[in-house]
Amino acid sequence: MKILVSACLLGICCRYDGNGSDRPWIRALMDRHTLIPVCPEQLGGLRTPRPPVEWRDGRAMDNQGKDCTDAFCRGAKEALKVAQMYGCELAVLKARSPSCGSGVIYDGSFGGRLAEGYGETARLLREHGIRVIDEEAVRDASDGF
Ligand code: SF4
């Protein structure tokens, strides 16, 4: 299966803080599947490192008050383009991220609190029929992938 993956989960240093989020159990999926890494925030034109962003009142705002919504939407569209180009039916994305999070994301307070919601890329992929799960669901899956 071809799986779109948040690039940071493979150890690519594309996170806002300049680090990756290497997850060995995601890397292990490469034994059985073709993983296609993308970082929507970089694809949207944001630099690395960059200030952290959270969704507040429908806008993606960084912690210095800058509105990054356009870049987030651009990155989501580019990630969707890649997923469709490769025929991905599944995306395994980073939990809680304002781009990649699915079901739960940070609540906009920059206080580490969570709220129900989707990152822009997760939302757009789902809207186009691509199944989205986060890396923790893969770790906890009993049926394997
Ligand atoms: Fe990882 Fe997604 Fe954030 Fe890029 S946008 S660093 S892939 S969580």
Side-chain angles (χ1 to χ4, degrees):
M1 182 175 16
K2 288 176 180 161
I3 306 176
L4 195 78
V5 177
S6 295
C8 58
L9 297 177
L10 297 174
I12 306 298
C13 295
C14 53
R15 281 172 39 130
Y16 74 95
D17 58 5
N19 294 314
S21 297
D22 196 12
R23 302 289 189 254
W25 65 92
I26 300 297
R27 201 179 277 254
L29 292 175
M30 277 196 255
D31 294 343
R32 300 183 300 287
H33 304 288
T34 301
L35 305 187
I36 294 133
V38 292
C39 175
E41 291 174 25
Q42 289 187 334
L43 285 171
L46 296 173
R47 64 184 169 80
T48 304
R50 53 190 172 277
V53 169
E54 297 188 6
W55 287 95
R56 194 167 62 233
D57 300 327
R59 308 298 297 176
M61 306 297 294
D62 76 17
N63 67 347
Q64 294 160 21
K66 185 176 165 211
D67 189 332
C68 301
T69 308
D70 288 351
F72 270 58
C73 293
R74 198 162 47 240
K77 283 182 192 151
E78 293 300 293
L80 173 64
K81 207 188 282 180
V82 174
Q84 291 176 328
M85 194 181 298
Y86 282 91
C88 299
E89 293 170 13
L90 175 68
V92 175
L93 303 184
K94 176 81 182 69
R96 297 178 288 279
S97 150
S99 287
C100 295
S102 53
V104 177
I105 56 173
Y106 290 108
D107 74 350
S109 65
F110 294 98
R113 288 188 289 276
L114 299 170
E116 284 184 14
Y118 287 83
E120 177 61 12
T121 296
R123 187 199 65 73
L124 192 68
L125 293 171
R126 281 164 50 92
E127 191 179 288
H128 286 78
I130 296 169
R131 184 178 167 217
V132 175
I133 58 175
D134 69 30
E135 91 269 19
E136 293 168 354
V138 173
R139 181 195 59 201
D140 299 339
S142 54
D143 55 349
F145 277 84

PDB file of all heavy atoms in Angstrom, residues 5-9 12-16 19 21 38-42 50 72 93-95 97-101 121, ligand 1:
ATOM      1  N   VAL A   5       2.799  10.037   4.643  1.00  0.00           N
ATOM      2  CA  VAL A   5       3.256  10.073   6.035  1.00  0.00           C
ATOM      3  C   VAL A   5       3.776  11.479   6.367  1.00  0.00           C
ATOM      4  O   VAL A   5       4.464  12.107   5.542  1.00  0.00           O
ATOM      5  CB  VAL A   5       4.391   9.046   6.261  1.00  0.00           C
ATOM      6  CG1 VAL A   5       4.916   9.118   7.682  1.00  0.00           C
ATOM      7  CG2 VAL A   5       3.913   7.637   5.970  1.00  0.00           C
ATOM      8  N   SER A   6       3.462  11.950   7.555  1.00  0.00           N
ATOM      9  CA  SER A   6       4.092  13.191   8.029  1.00  0.00           C
ATOM     10  C   SER A   6       5.601  12.975   8.078  1.00  0.00           C
ATOM     11  O   SER A   6       6.088  12.066   8.768  1.00  0.00           O
ATOM     12  CB  SER A   6       3.605  13.531   9.444  1.00  0.00           C
ATOM     13  OG  SER A   6       2.232  13.832   9.460  1.00  0.00           O
ATOM     14  N   ALA A   7       6.332  13.804   7.362  1.00  0.00           N
ATOM     15  CA  ALA A   7       7.780  13.591   7.217  1.00  0.00           C
ATOM     16  C   ALA A   7       8.498  13.568   8.563  1.00  0.00           C
ATOM     17  O   ALA A   7       9.456  12.812   8.761  1.00  0.00           O
ATOM     18  CB  ALA A   7       8.362  14.679   6.316  1.00  0.00           C
ATOM     19  N   CYS A   8       8.015  14.350   9.518  1.00  0.00           N
ATOM     20  CA  CYS A   8       8.696  14.404  10.820  1.00  0.00           C
ATOM     21  C   CYS A   8       8.689  13.049  11.519  1.00  0.00           C
ATOM     22  O   CYS A   8       9.593  12.747  12.299  1.00  0.00           O
ATOM     23  CB  CYS A   8       8.087  15.483  11.704  1.00  0.00           C
ATOM     24  SG  CYS A   8       6.319  15.288  12.022  1.00  0.00           S
ATOM     25  N   LEU A   9       7.680  12.212  11.233  1.00  0.00           N
ATOM     26  CA  LEU A   9       7.588  10.899  11.879  1.00  0.00           C
ATOM     27  C   LEU A   9       8.692   9.952  11.418  1.00  0.00           C
ATOM     28  O   LEU A   9       8.945   8.931  12.052  1.00  0.00           O
ATOM     29  CB  LEU A   9       6.215  10.263  11.606  1.00  0.00           C
ATOM     30  CG  LEU A   9       5.009  11.021  12.166  1.00  0.00           C
ATOM     31  CD1 LEU A   9       3.721  10.327  11.749  1.00  0.00           C
ATOM     32  CD2 LEU A   9       5.097  11.143  13.683  1.00  0.00           C
ATOM     33  N   ILE A  12      12.662  13.275   9.737  1.00  0.00           N
ATOM     34  CA  ILE A  12      13.035  14.465   8.961  1.00  0.00           C
ATOM     35  C   ILE A  12      12.857  15.696   9.863  1.00  0.00           C
ATOM     36  O   ILE A  12      11.825  15.848  10.533  1.00  0.00           O
ATOM     37  CB  ILE A  12      12.134  14.611   7.708  1.00  0.00           C
ATOM     38  CG1 ILE A  12      12.144  13.327   6.865  1.00  0.00           C
ATOM     39  CG2 ILE A  12      12.544  15.824   6.880  1.00  0.00           C
ATOM     40  CD1 ILE A  12      13.463  12.942   6.300  1.00  0.00           C
ATOM     41  N   CYS A  13      13.868  16.546   9.876  1.00  0.00           N
ATOM     42  CA  CYS A  13      13.856  17.692  10.805  1.00  0.00           C
ATOM     43  C   CYS A  13      13.056  18.862  10.222  1.00  0.00           C
ATOM     44  O   CYS A  13      13.632  19.886   9.841  1.00  0.00           O
ATOM     45  CB  CYS A  13      15.282  18.096  11.144  1.00  0.00           C
ATOM     46  SG  CYS A  13      16.153  16.810  12.059  1.00  0.00           S
ATOM     47  N   CYS A  14      11.755  18.686  10.155  1.00  0.00           N
ATOM     48  CA  CYS A  14      10.887  19.706   9.555  1.00  0.00           C
ATOM     49  C   CYS A  14       9.930  20.329  10.551  1.00  0.00           C
ATOM     50  O   CYS A  14       9.116  21.182  10.190  1.00  0.00           O
ATOM     51  CB  CYS A  14      10.110  19.100   8.385  1.00  0.00           C
ATOM     52  SG  CYS A  14       9.196  17.591   8.806  1.00  0.00           S
ATOM     53  N   ARG A  15      10.027  19.944  11.819  1.00  0.00           N
ATOM     54  CA  ARG A  15       9.119  20.500  12.818  1.00  0.00           C
ATOM     55  C   ARG A  15       9.395  21.979  13.069  1.00  0.00           C
ATOM     56  O   ARG A  15      10.477  22.476  12.791  1.00  0.00           O
ATOM     57  CB  ARG A  15       9.297  19.759  14.157  1.00  0.00           C
ATOM     58  CG  ARG A  15       8.600  18.424  14.232  1.00  0.00           C
ATOM     59  CD  ARG A  15       9.012  17.715  15.499  1.00  0.00           C
ATOM     60  NE  ARG A  15       9.132  18.625  16.632  1.00  0.00           N
ATOM     61  CZ  ARG A  15       8.567  18.434  17.826  1.00  0.00           C
ATOM     62  NH1 ARG A  15       7.853  17.357  18.050  1.00  0.00           N
ATOM     63  NH2 ARG A  15       8.754  19.301  18.793  1.00  0.00           N
ATOM     64  N   TYR A  16       8.449  22.643  13.685  1.00  0.00           N
ATOM     65  CA  TYR A  16       8.588  24.072  13.968  1.00  0.00           C
ATOM     66  C   TYR A  16       9.862  24.381  14.755  1.00  0.00           C
ATOM     67  O   TYR A  16      10.483  25.431  14.586  1.00  0.00           O
ATOM     68  CB  TYR A  16       7.348  24.595  14.730  1.00  0.00           C
ATOM     69  CG  TYR A  16       7.297  24.168  16.166  1.00  0.00           C
ATOM     70  CD1 TYR A  16       7.779  25.000  17.178  1.00  0.00           C
ATOM     71  CD2 TYR A  16       6.808  22.921  16.526  1.00  0.00           C
ATOM     72  CE1 TYR A  16       7.760  24.605  18.499  1.00  0.00           C
ATOM     73  CE2 TYR A  16       6.791  22.511  17.850  1.00  0.00           C
ATOM     74  CZ  TYR A  16       7.269  23.354  18.828  1.00  0.00           C
ATOM     75  OH  TYR A  16       7.264  22.952  20.139  1.00  0.00           O
ATOM     76  N   ASN A  19      13.418  20.162  14.802  1.00  0.00           N
ATOM     77  CA  ASN A  19      13.675  18.747  15.071  1.00  0.00           C
ATOM     78  C   ASN A  19      12.726  17.865  14.275  1.00  0.00           C
ATOM     79  O   ASN A  19      11.780  18.351  13.641  1.00  0.00           O
ATOM     80  CB  ASN A  19      13.482  18.452  16.570  1.00  0.00           C
ATOM     81  CG  ASN A  19      14.521  19.166  17.404  1.00  0.00           C
ATOM     82  OD1 ASN A  19      15.705  19.154  17.079  1.00  0.00           O
ATOM     83  ND2 ASN A  19      14.081  19.820  18.471  1.00  0.00           N
ATOM     84  N   SER A  21      10.373  14.007  14.647  1.00  0.00           N
ATOM     85  CA  SER A  21       9.641  13.226  15.664  1.00  0.00           C
ATOM     86  C   SER A  21       9.746  11.758  15.281  1.00  0.00           C
ATOM     87  O   SER A  21       8.743  11.115  14.984  1.00  0.00           O
ATOM     88  CB  SER A  21       8.163  13.644  15.717  1.00  0.00           C
ATOM     89  OG  SER A  21       8.024  14.981  16.109  1.00  0.00           O
ATOM     90  N   VAL A  38       5.658  13.806   3.501  1.00  0.00           N
ATOM     91  CA  VAL A  38       5.408  15.212   3.181  1.00  0.00           C
ATOM     92  C   VAL A  38       5.378  16.016   4.478  1.00  0.00           C
ATOM     93  O   VAL A  38       4.982  15.506   5.524  1.00  0.00           O
ATOM     94  CB  VAL A  38       4.056  15.443   2.452  1.00  0.00           C
ATOM     95  CG1 VAL A  38       4.062  14.852   1.058  1.00  0.00           C
ATOM     96  CG2 VAL A  38       2.881  14.922   3.255  1.00  0.00           C
ATOM     97  N   CYS A  39       5.797  17.260   4.384  1.00  0.00           N
ATOM     98  CA  CYS A  39       5.593  18.207   5.485  1.00  0.00           C
ATOM     99  C   CYS A  39       4.739  19.354   4.936  1.00  0.00           C
ATOM    100  O   CYS A  39       5.254  20.225   4.224  1.00  0.00           O
ATOM    101  CB  CYS A  39       6.902  18.760   6.037  1.00  0.00           C
ATOM    102  SG  CYS A  39       6.578  20.023   7.303  1.00  0.00           S
ATOM    103  N   PRO A  40       3.462  19.369   5.242  1.00  0.00           N
ATOM    104  CA  PRO A  40       2.587  20.402   4.689  1.00  0.00           C
ATOM    105  C   PRO A  40       3.018  21.826   5.044  1.00  0.00           C
ATOM    106  O   PRO A  40       2.840  22.744   4.219  1.00  0.00           O
ATOM    107  CB  PRO A  40       1.225  20.084   5.310  1.00  0.00           C
ATOM    108  CG  PRO A  40       1.300  18.656   5.708  1.00  0.00           C
ATOM    109  CD  PRO A  40       2.735  18.389   6.037  1.00  0.00           C
ATOM    110  N   GLU A  41       3.568  22.018   6.215  1.00  0.00           N
ATOM    111  CA  GLU A  41       3.932  23.393   6.581  1.00  0.00           C
ATOM    112  C   GLU A  41       5.105  23.879   5.746  1.00  0.00           C
ATOM    113  O   GLU A  41       5.138  25.036   5.310  1.00  0.00           O
ATOM    114  CB  GLU A  41       4.196  23.484   8.092  1.00  0.00           C
ATOM    115  CG  GLU A  41       2.883  23.307   8.850  1.00  0.00           C
ATOM    116  CD  GLU A  41       3.002  23.234  10.359  1.00  0.00           C
ATOM    117  OE1 GLU A  41       3.975  23.752  10.929  1.00  0.00           O
ATOM    118  OE2 GLU A  41       2.094  22.640  10.979  1.00  0.00           O
ATOM    119  N   GLN A  42       6.051  23.007   5.487  1.00  0.00           N
ATOM    120  CA  GLN A  42       7.139  23.399   4.573  1.00  0.00           C
ATOM    121  C   GLN A  42       6.599  23.567   3.153  1.00  0.00           C
ATOM    122  O   GLN A  42       6.971  24.511   2.442  1.00  0.00           O
ATOM    123  CB  GLN A  42       8.262  22.368   4.605  1.00  0.00           C
ATOM    124  CG  GLN A  42       9.065  22.386   5.897  1.00  0.00           C
ATOM    125  CD  GLN A  42      10.272  21.477   5.849  1.00  0.00           C
ATOM    126  OE1 GLN A  42      10.315  20.493   5.104  1.00  0.00           O
ATOM    127  NE2 GLN A  42      11.267  21.770   6.675  1.00  0.00           N
ATOM    128  N   ARG A  50      10.396  27.601  12.866  1.00  0.00           N
ATOM    129  CA  ARG A  50       9.363  28.631  12.756  1.00  0.00           C
ATOM    130  C   ARG A  50       8.618  28.698  14.097  1.00  0.00           C
ATOM    131  O   ARG A  50       8.666  27.739  14.874  1.00  0.00           O
ATOM    132  CB  ARG A  50       8.379  28.294  11.624  1.00  0.00           C
ATOM    133  CG  ARG A  50       7.778  26.895  11.746  1.00  0.00           C
ATOM    134  CD  ARG A  50       6.994  26.480  10.518  1.00  0.00           C
ATOM    135  NE  ARG A  50       6.596  25.076  10.570  1.00  0.00           N
ATOM    136  CZ  ARG A  50       7.371  24.047  10.216  1.00  0.00           C
ATOM    137  NH1 ARG A  50       8.595  24.260   9.776  1.00  0.00           N
ATOM    138  NH2 ARG A  50       6.939  22.803  10.303  1.00  0.00           N
ATOM    139  N   PHE A  72      -0.899  27.470   5.656  1.00  0.00           N
ATOM    140  CA  PHE A  72      -1.421  26.157   6.068  1.00  0.00           C
ATOM    141  C   PHE A  72      -2.338  25.577   5.000  1.00  0.00           C
ATOM    142  O   PHE A  72      -2.300  24.371   4.720  1.00  0.00           O
ATOM    143  CB  PHE A  72      -2.161  26.290   7.408  1.00  0.00           C
ATOM    144  CG  PHE A  72      -1.245  26.083   8.587  1.00  0.00           C
ATOM    145  CD1 PHE A  72      -0.134  26.874   8.775  1.00  0.00           C
ATOM    146  CD2 PHE A  72      -1.488  25.081   9.503  1.00  0.00           C
ATOM    147  CE1 PHE A  72       0.725  26.686   9.848  1.00  0.00           C
ATOM    148  CE2 PHE A  72      -0.635  24.870  10.581  1.00  0.00           C
ATOM    149  CZ  PHE A  72       0.465  25.670  10.755  1.00  0.00           C
ATOM    150  N   LEU A  93      -0.462  10.447   9.994  1.00  0.00           N
ATOM    151  CA  LEU A  93      -0.003  11.812  10.263  1.00  0.00           C
ATOM    152  C   LEU A  93       0.298  12.018  11.744  1.00  0.00           C
ATOM    153  O   LEU A  93      -0.144  11.269  12.610  1.00  0.00           O
ATOM    154  CB  LEU A  93      -1.065  12.816   9.805  1.00  0.00           C
ATOM    155  CG  LEU A  93      -1.485  12.752   8.329  1.00  0.00           C
ATOM    156  CD1 LEU A  93      -2.463  13.878   8.016  1.00  0.00           C
ATOM    157  CD2 LEU A  93      -0.301  12.802   7.382  1.00  0.00           C
ATOM    158  N   LYS A  94       1.043  13.075  11.993  1.00  0.00           N
ATOM    159  CA  LYS A  94       1.483  13.417  13.358  1.00  0.00           C
ATOM    160  C   LYS A  94       0.288  13.849  14.217  1.00  0.00           C
ATOM    161  O   LYS A  94      -0.492  14.708  13.811  1.00  0.00           O
ATOM    162  CB  LYS A  94       2.501  14.558  13.264  1.00  0.00           C
ATOM    163  CG  LYS A  94       2.978  15.085  14.594  1.00  0.00           C
ATOM    164  CD  LYS A  94       4.057  14.206  15.160  1.00  0.00           C
ATOM    165  CE  LYS A  94       4.498  14.702  16.530  1.00  0.00           C
ATOM    166  NZ  LYS A  94       3.467  14.528  17.570  1.00  0.00           N
ATOM    167  N   ALA A  95       0.200  13.268  15.389  1.00  0.00           N
ATOM    168  CA  ALA A  95      -0.900  13.596  16.301  1.00  0.00           C
ATOM    169  C   ALA A  95      -0.808  15.038  16.793  1.00  0.00           C
ATOM    170  O   ALA A  95       0.283  15.560  17.034  1.00  0.00           O
ATOM    171  CB  ALA A  95      -0.866  12.641  17.502  1.00  0.00           C
ATOM    172  N   SER A  97      -0.985  17.949  15.705  1.00  0.00           N
ATOM    173  CA  SER A  97      -0.410  19.072  14.943  1.00  0.00           C
ATOM    174  C   SER A  97      -1.506  19.932  14.311  1.00  0.00           C
ATOM    175  O   SER A  97      -2.539  19.414  13.898  1.00  0.00           O
ATOM    176  CB  SER A  97       0.495  18.499  13.839  1.00  0.00           C
ATOM    177  OG  SER A  97       0.523  19.345  12.719  1.00  0.00           O
ATOM    178  N   PRO A  98      -1.277  21.234  14.190  1.00  0.00           N
ATOM    179  CA  PRO A  98      -2.277  22.093  13.541  1.00  0.00           C
ATOM    180  C   PRO A  98      -2.424  21.819  12.042  1.00  0.00           C
ATOM    181  O   PRO A  98      -3.405  22.238  11.425  1.00  0.00           O
ATOM    182  CB  PRO A  98      -1.741  23.506  13.783  1.00  0.00           C
ATOM    183  CG  PRO A  98      -0.274  23.313  14.033  1.00  0.00           C
ATOM    184  CD  PRO A  98      -0.125  21.984  14.694  1.00  0.00           C
ATOM    185  N   SER A  99      -1.472  21.125  11.445  1.00  0.00           N
ATOM    186  CA  SER A  99      -1.618  20.686  10.051  1.00  0.00           C
ATOM    187  C   SER A  99      -2.044  19.226   9.972  1.00  0.00           C
ATOM    188  O   SER A  99      -2.913  18.859   9.190  1.00  0.00           O
ATOM    189  CB  SER A  99      -0.286  20.825   9.286  1.00  0.00           C
ATOM    190  OG  SER A  99      -0.004  22.167   9.024  1.00  0.00           O
ATOM    191  N   CYS A 100      -1.396  18.398  10.763  1.00  0.00           N
ATOM    192  CA  CYS A 100      -1.500  16.942  10.588  1.00  0.00           C
ATOM    193  C   CYS A 100      -2.395  16.258  11.611  1.00  0.00           C
ATOM    194  O   CYS A 100      -2.735  15.089  11.434  1.00  0.00           O
ATOM    195  CB  CYS A 100      -0.094  16.337  10.640  1.00  0.00           C
ATOM    196  SG  CYS A 100       0.964  16.850   9.263  1.00  0.00           S
ATOM    197  N   GLY A 101      -2.759  16.914  12.675  1.00  0.00           N
ATOM    198  CA  GLY A 101      -3.532  16.275  13.741  1.00  0.00           C
ATOM    199  C   GLY A 101      -4.902  15.810  13.272  1.00  0.00           C
ATOM    200  O   GLY A 101      -5.530  16.449  12.425  1.00  0.00           O
ATOM    201  N   THR A 121      -4.423  19.872   6.915  1.00  0.00           N
ATOM    202  CA  THR A 121      -4.096  18.813   5.941  1.00  0.00           C
ATOM    203  C   THR A 121      -4.923  17.562   6.214  1.00  0.00           C
ATOM    204  O   THR A 121      -5.466  16.958   5.276  1.00  0.00           O
ATOM    205  CB  THR A 121      -2.593  18.498   6.005  1.00  0.00           C
ATOM    206  OG1 THR A 121      -1.886  19.671   5.585  1.00  0.00           O
ATOM    207  CG2 THR A 121      -2.223  17.332   5.099  1.00  0.00           C
TER     208      THR A 121
HETATM  209 FE1  SF4 B   1       5.353  17.142  10.993  1.00  0.00          FE
HETATM  210 FE2  SF4 B   1       3.082  17.800   9.793  1.00  0.00          FE
HETATM  211 FE3  SF4 B   1       4.274  19.550  11.408  1.00  0.00          FE
HETATM  212 FE4  SF4 B   1       5.380  18.989   9.061  1.00  0.00          FE
HETATM  213  S1  SF4 B   1       3.422  19.966   9.370  1.00  0.00           S
HETATM  214  S2  SF4 B   1       6.421  19.096  11.019  1.00  0.00           S
HETATM  215  S3  SF4 B   1       4.870  16.850   8.829  1.00  0.00           S
HETATM  216  S4  SF4 B   1       3.417  17.580  11.990  1.00  0.00           S
END
